[in-house]
Each structure stands twice: as C-alpha cells, then as structure tokens.
C-alpha cells in the first residue's frame, strides 16, 4: 500500500493515451540530460519519502524501539537502501516501466498483528525511557528477536509472490478479484490504525494540526503551482513539485518554539514530545557512513502465524501493482504492458520483498503509485530518471546521518502525517466502488458487511483470544494473527461473497473496472519498451522453447501477425490504478 499526496495517476490513466503521450517531455525510452535525471530522481525520492519514513517509525513501537532513535535511524537508512536496489531491479529487469519501489502499508497491519501476540509483546521496562539502555545486550536481544521473526515471515511469504509472478498465475488470480474485493481490503489497511495515528497526533494537537494544514495546502490547494526547472532545450520545460514542504515548515516552527522554550521541558507535561531536542543526540551518535547488509540483525526465524498474515498483504500488494503498471504505462508514453512484462514485474517485486526481509527493513517492497502521479506533474516518463531515483535512494541509505535526521522528527509531526496518509488510503479503498452499481442491495450488503466485520471481529478476538485456543500453540497463533488482521477478514469475506452471491458482470463492476485497450499496439514498440536489457531479450528469449516461459514474449508467426493488434486489444485489460 502506498500513499499519494498528488493523486493524479487514477484520473490521468483514464484519459486518452495518445493525449497523455503528446504532452510528455520525455517518453519512457528517452534519455533526458544527465543533470535533469539527477534533479528529477531526487524529486521522486522526495515524493516517496513520507511513506518510506512512516513505516519504520510505526513499527518501532511494536519492536520496543520507541526510546531508541538511533536504531530507528538505522531502520530508515536500511529501507532507503533496499528500496534503491529494488527500484533498479524493477526498472532494468522487471516490468521495465518508470516506477519506484518502496515499503508497503499492506504488510504493516499483519506485522502489527503478529507482534501483538503474547510472546512478542514488549516488556514493561522498555516503555520507560529511564530504564532503557540502547547498548545493553538484553535490550538489543529484545528488539532484534522481534525483527528476526518479522524478517522470516516476510522472506517466506515473498516466495509465494515470486512463484505467482514468474509462473504467470497473477492473470488467473485477477479473474476472481474485483472492485468489491479490493475496496474493503484497501480500506481496512488504514482504518484499524486510527489508534496509532491518534496517539501520535495527540501528543500535541496544535502542532499536528499545523502539519496537516501545510501538507494539505501544498499537496492539494497548491499542487498545480510548480517550481520551474530549466532543461537541455528551451522548448522542453519540466516541473518540480513541492510535496513535503509542509513537514519542513512545521519542523522549523517546532525548532523555533523549542529554542524559545515555548514547549514544556518536563517529560510529564503535555506538549513535551513536540520539542526537537528530545532526540537531539541521535545526530551526534549516528555514523556518517553505514553500509546495510543482509542479516545485520541476526539470522531470521520463522513462524506459521506471521507467514499467513504477510501472505494476505502480499496478495493485496500484487493486485495494486498490476493497476499501477497500466497507469504508469499510460503516463510514460508506453504501450500497455503485455502479460510477460506483468509477470516479470510481480516476480521481481517478490524478489524485492525477499531482499527486504534479508536486509531487515521490517517490511516488504511494492510499486509506489505516488511516483506514477509524479510522472503527470513533471511530464517526464523516462525510466532513466527512475534509475537515477533508485541510485539516490541507494546512496542516501548508506549515510547514517540522513536516517538519523528523519528518526528525530517530533512525534506530533509524525501523527499529522499519519492522519493524512491513512485518510488517503481509506478514501482510495472506497473509491473503487465507483465501478460498482451501488444502487444494488447485493453490493451494498457485501461492502458494508465486509467493512463492519473487518473491524468487529479483530476487536473481539483481541479481547477474547482465549476462547479460540485449541491447545496447539502454532495453530492458535495462526488463527489469532489472521483474525486480528482486519484487512484479511474483510477482504476474505468480500472475496467469498462477491464470487458466490449471484450478480451480473456489470453489477459487480467488472466491466467498468476492466477497460479494454483502445489503441493498437505495435509489436516493435512493445518489444522496445518491455524487452530485457543488455541483449538478454534478443539472445535469451529468441529460443523456441524459451518463448513459452511466462516472462518472455511469445512472438507470432507471419500468418498471425496481422491479427496481433486485435488479440492485444483483447488481452491487455486495464486495471485502474489504486493510487495512494
């Protein structure tokens, strides 16, 4: 799950593809000037920054790290580093579209459910800052044991995504998943997290409200007021959006109020957490250079409870990514992605999740649709720009001071950011109902019941888990994690009801949700955009037997080539991007 403060990918992806392509400064295969690649690469990094930083900060509380900002900084640097690697893999060897990779909120809900199990709850002494010694072996083992458990679950679950992608099963799964399944699933990613967002924002509602005001001002009211950038040719003008300016301004205001002692200096007084000097020593403690590596927190451990919960997040993430691929293709001037490119993209995302688990980000990776929206703002669809963005993430992830800076964000600012992000996720989930006939009592029942059950059942299980105990510890953990993950409960019920209660394709929204491609696709153009680089596509995928692999294009014979545009129109179904 990704959050977009510039939600353009949904609206722009539905417009005429020819119109989108004609307004591009650089299309997917073009190469802009080197300095423009760097500047726009930094822009994509800044656009994804909110989600990349928020995920480790949310996880830190359940990992018993709320009083260890230095380790929080290491986690932020690690997710930057892994996101850079996964972005390069996706653009070069995956779907080959200009789409950034980063952490996903779809993994966050099952992760928090797993860490809420009795054996993984944080000891009481870790909640008291005065009793926490971040360098003591006891404290290190407390948080690293939880991280290793999370790593193992993510790595095993990622193997499922790798199999679904490289085997071509993603197309089969999409036949049974429609808007009525996606809507409650996405909505329930964010709704159960209202406690976390409220607690963080409630540490100082004034500062949180100020952060929300500036975020909304720059991302919504002033989203079409760009900062112009010069380019190689005077006739080509690109734009650099101001997405995170709101957070920066609020952070500076907090700094000024801290210097003037406007905030209380007593930790027991309301408003203390808004001070910017609470975590001030983290900057001096953090190393300038730190190279993240696999297994840096120890050897991952595995439990069935975590695996099944994360798999629910994997399925949600895969469906979203398919929609992002089509939206990205429209906005970057590329033909709709063929099946073999989608299969590669999902498979490479699975590899990305495997790497994220090995490195220990505490999360997986997925396609970032806010960067798809950024393509519409900058009018630059070149994948070389995203390669530059991946390199920026990779390099910044090796500078420990950068992660430490973001780990020192005052708590109320984080709360304001989470309120905005979770609100957008919830709205994006509900927005999928635009394809469904909501005058139908069938659809009203499925959506309403799935949402309500996805909230009520996890709440009851959290309070009465002993009622469901079977005497088998592993089975009890699996049941508890699944039934306390609202995304799984609501999505599963919606999936079953939508596929069993009688309803027409039009009533279920499948006809409107799956728009057929309106343009005839030139095979040469498709191969140019989606073939593997460095000669791999021409050398490896030309063998007769290799053409039948789900990740290689199936070339048509001369007699069938005339019918190719028609067949491509039938095969390439546009799954509308679930922007967040």
């Amino acid at each position: 799950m990704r959050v977009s403060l510039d939600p353009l990918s949904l609206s722009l992806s539905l417009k005429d593809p020819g119109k989108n392509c004609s307004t591009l400064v650089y299309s997917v295969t073009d190469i802009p000037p080197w300095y423009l690649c760097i500047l726009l690469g930094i822009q994509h990094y800044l656009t994804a920054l909110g989600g990349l930083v928020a995920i480790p900060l949310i996880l830190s509380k359940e990992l018993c790290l709320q009083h260890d900002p230095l380790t929080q900084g290491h986690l932020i640097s690690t997710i930057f580093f892994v996101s850079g690697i996964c972005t390069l893999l996706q653009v070069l060897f995956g779907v080959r579209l200009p789409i950034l990779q980063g952490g996903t909120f779809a993994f966050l809900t099952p992760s928090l459910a797993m860490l809420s199990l009795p054996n993984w709850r944080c000891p009481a002494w870790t909640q008291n800052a005065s009793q926490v010694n971040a360098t003591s072996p006891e404290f290190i083992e407390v948080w690293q044991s939880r991280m290793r458990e999370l790593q193992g679950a993510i790595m095993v679950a990622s193997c499922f995504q790798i199999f679904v992608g490289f085997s071509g099963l993603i197309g089969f799964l999409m036949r049974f998943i429609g808007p009525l399944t996606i809507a409650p699933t996405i909505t329930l990613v964010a709704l159960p997290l209202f406690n976390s967002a409220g607690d963080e924002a409630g540490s100082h509602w004034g500062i949180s409200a100020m952060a929300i005001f500036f975020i909304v001002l720059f991302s919504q009211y002033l989203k079409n007021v760009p900062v112009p950038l010069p380019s190689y040719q005077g006739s080509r003008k690109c734009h650099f959006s101001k997405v995170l300016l709101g957070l920066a301004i609020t952070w500076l205001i907090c700094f000024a109020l801290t210097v003037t002692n406007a905030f209380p200096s007593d930790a027991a007084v309301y408003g203390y957490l808004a001070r910017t000097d609470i975590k001030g020593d983290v900057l001096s403690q953090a190393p300038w250079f730190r190279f993240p590596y696999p297994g840096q927190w120890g050897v991952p451990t595995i439990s069935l409870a975590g695996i099944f919960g994360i798999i629910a997040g994997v399925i949600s993430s895969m469906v979203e990514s398919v929609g992002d691929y089509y939206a990205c293709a429209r906005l970057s001037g590329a033909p709709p992605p063929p099946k073999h490119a989608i299969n590669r993209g999902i498979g490479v995302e699975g590899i990305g999740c495997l790497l994220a688990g090995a490195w220990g980000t505490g999360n997986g990776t997925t396609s970032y649709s806010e960067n798809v929206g950024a393509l519409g703002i900058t009018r630059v669809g070149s994948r070389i720009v995203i390669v530059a963005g991946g390199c920026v993430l990779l390099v910044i992830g090796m500078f420990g001071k950068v992660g430490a800076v973001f780990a020192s964000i005052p708590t109320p600012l984080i709360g304001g950011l989470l309120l905005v992000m979770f609100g957008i996720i919830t709205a994006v989930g509900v927005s999928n109902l635009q394809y469904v006939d909501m005058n139908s009592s069938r659809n009203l029942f499925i959506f309403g019941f799935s949402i309500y059950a996805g909230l009520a059942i996890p709440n009851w299980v959290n309070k009465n888990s002993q009622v469901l105990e079977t005497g088998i510890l592993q089975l009890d953990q699996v049941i508890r994690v699944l039934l306390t993950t609202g995304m799984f409960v609501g999505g599963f019920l919606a999936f079953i009801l939508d596929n069993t209660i009688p309803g027409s394709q039009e009533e279920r929204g499948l006809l409107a949700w799956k728009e057929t491609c309106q343009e005839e696709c030139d095979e040469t153009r498709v191969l140019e955009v989606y073939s593997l680089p460095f000669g791999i596509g021409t050398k490896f995928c030309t063998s007769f037997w290799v053409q039948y692999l789900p990740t290689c294009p199936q070339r048509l014979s001369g007699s069938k080539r005339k019918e190719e545009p028609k067949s491509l129109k039938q095969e390439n179904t546009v799954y509308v991007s679930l922007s967040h």
Side-chain angles (χ1 to χ4, degrees), residues 207-292:
I207 296 299
S208 297
M210 187 184 303
I212 293 171
F213 169 77
F214 283 119
I215 290 173
V216 173
L217 175 66
F218 292 113
S219 68
Q220 301 300 320
Y221 290 102
L222 302 179
K223 65 182 178 181
N224 294 321
V225 182
V227 176
L229 286 178
S231 66
Y232 187 73
Q233 297 179 8
S235 59
R236 292 184 167 188
K237 293 183 179 180
C238 308
H239 293 88
F240 196 77
S241 69
K242 302 167 290 185
V243 177
L244 297 178
L245 190 57
L247 275 182
I249 292 176
T250 312
W251 201 345
L252 289 174
I253 292 174
C254 285
F255 175 76
L257 294 175
T258 300
V259 171
T260 57
N261 288 321
F263 293 134
S265 56
D266 185 355
V269 179
Y270 178 81
Y272 172 76
L273 293 177
R275 296 183 66 94
T276 57
D277 57 359
I278 298 176
K279 308 173 184 177
D281 57 343
V282 68
L283 287 175
S284 60
Q285 295 175 3
W288 277 104
F289 182 82
R290 180 182 180 274
F291 186 79

Side-chain angles (χ1 to χ4, degrees), residues 347-383:
V348 169
E349 283 192 19
I351 294 175
C353 289
L354 184 65
L355 296 178
W359 256 265
T361 66
N363 199 253
T365 60
T366 190
S367 297
Y368 259 42
S369 54
E370 57 262 49
N371 294 89
V372 176
L375 297 177
I377 298 172
T378 62
R379 297 191 294 129
V380 175
S382 172
R383 58 187 170 206

Side-chain angles (χ1 to χ4, degrees), residues 11 64 128 138 314 326 399 433 520 539 544:
S11 60
C64 317
N128 190 335
E138 182 184 7
V314 165
Y326 281 100
F399 286 93
L433 298 177
E520 293 189 357
K539 295 178 182 178
F544 176 76

Side-chain angles (χ1 to χ4, degrees), residues 169-232:
L169 280 178
I170 183 65
F172 175 77
L173 292 176
M174 293 299 296
R175 298 178 185 177
F176 305 98
I177 300 175
L180 275 176
T181 300
I182 293 297
T185 302
I186 302 304
T187 302
L188 288 168
V189 168
L191 283 182
L193 298 175
F194 69 91
N195 268 331
S196 297
D199 290 343
E200 300 289 304
S203 59
H204 195 297
W205 279 109
I207 296 299
S208 297
M210 187 184 303
I212 293 171
F213 169 77
F214 283 119
I215 290 173
V216 173
L217 175 66
F218 292 113
S219 68
Q220 301 300 320
Y221 290 102
L222 302 179
K223 65 182 178 181
N224 294 321
V225 182
V227 176
L229 286 178
S231 66
Y232 187 73

Side-chain angles (χ1 to χ4, degrees), residues 16-199:
D16 179 34
K19 182 178 179 180
N20 289 336
C21 187
S22 64
T23 60
L24 284 174
V25 179
Y26 297 98
S27 66
V28 61
T29 54
D30 292 336
I31 302 178
W34 64 269
Y35 61 87
L36 193 59
C37 289
I38 295 175
L39 287 174
L40 291 174
I42 295 174
Q43 150 72 4
H44 280 281
Y45 159 73
L46 292 175
T47 305
L49 192 59
L52 290 173
V53 171
I55 290 172
L57 294 179
I58 294 173
L59 278 175
S60 64
K61 184 176 181 180
E62 300 302 323
L63 290 172
C64 317
L65 289 172
Q66 65 267 42
H67 298 302
D68 186 6
L70 181 60
T71 302
Q72 292 178 25
H74 294 338
L75 291 180
I76 293 173
S77 296
T78 300
I79 201 170
F80 285 166
F81 185 82
V82 174
S83 296
I85 294 176
C86 297
T87 297
L88 295 177
L89 288 176
Q90 186 66 269
V91 177
L92 296 177
F93 304 105
V95 73
R96 303 225 64 207
L97 287 170
I99 191 165
L100 204 74
Q101 302 290 291
T104 168
F105 282 93
F107 281 24
L108 193 58
T109 304
S111 297
L112 296 179
M114 185 186 77
L115 293 174
S116 68
L117 292 173
N119 54 320
W120 294 121
R121 287 177 183 167
C122 294
W125 60 269
T126 62
Q127 313 298 315
N128 190 335
S130 62
Q131 299 182 22
V132 173
N133 179 5
T135 60
S136 68
E138 182 184 7
F139 177 75
I140 292 174
E141 178 59 25
V142 164
W143 75 263
Q144 287 191 358
S145 62
R146 286 156 177 75
M147 175 60 80
R148 292 194 295 266
E149 188 77 4
L150 203 53
Q151 287 181 251
I154 292 171
M155 292 177 71
V156 175
S158 67
C159 295
F160 171 75
Q161 184 170 3
I162 293 172
F163 172 75
V164 170
F166 289 123
S167 66
L169 280 178
I170 183 65
F172 175 77
L173 292 176
M174 293 299 296
R175 298 178 185 177
F176 305 98
I177 300 175
L180 275 176
T181 300
I182 293 297
T185 302
I186 302 304
T187 302
L188 288 168
V189 168
L191 283 182
L193 298 175
F194 69 91
N195 268 331
S196 297
D199 290 343

Side-chain angles (χ1 to χ4, degrees), residues 557-572:
S557 62
S559 59
K560 295 181 180 180
R561 196 175 302 276
K562 295 180 180 180
E563 302 178 2
E564 180 187 358
K566 182 179 178 180
S567 65
L568 283 171
K569 286 177 66 178
Q570 295 172 346
E571 290 180 3
N572 285 291

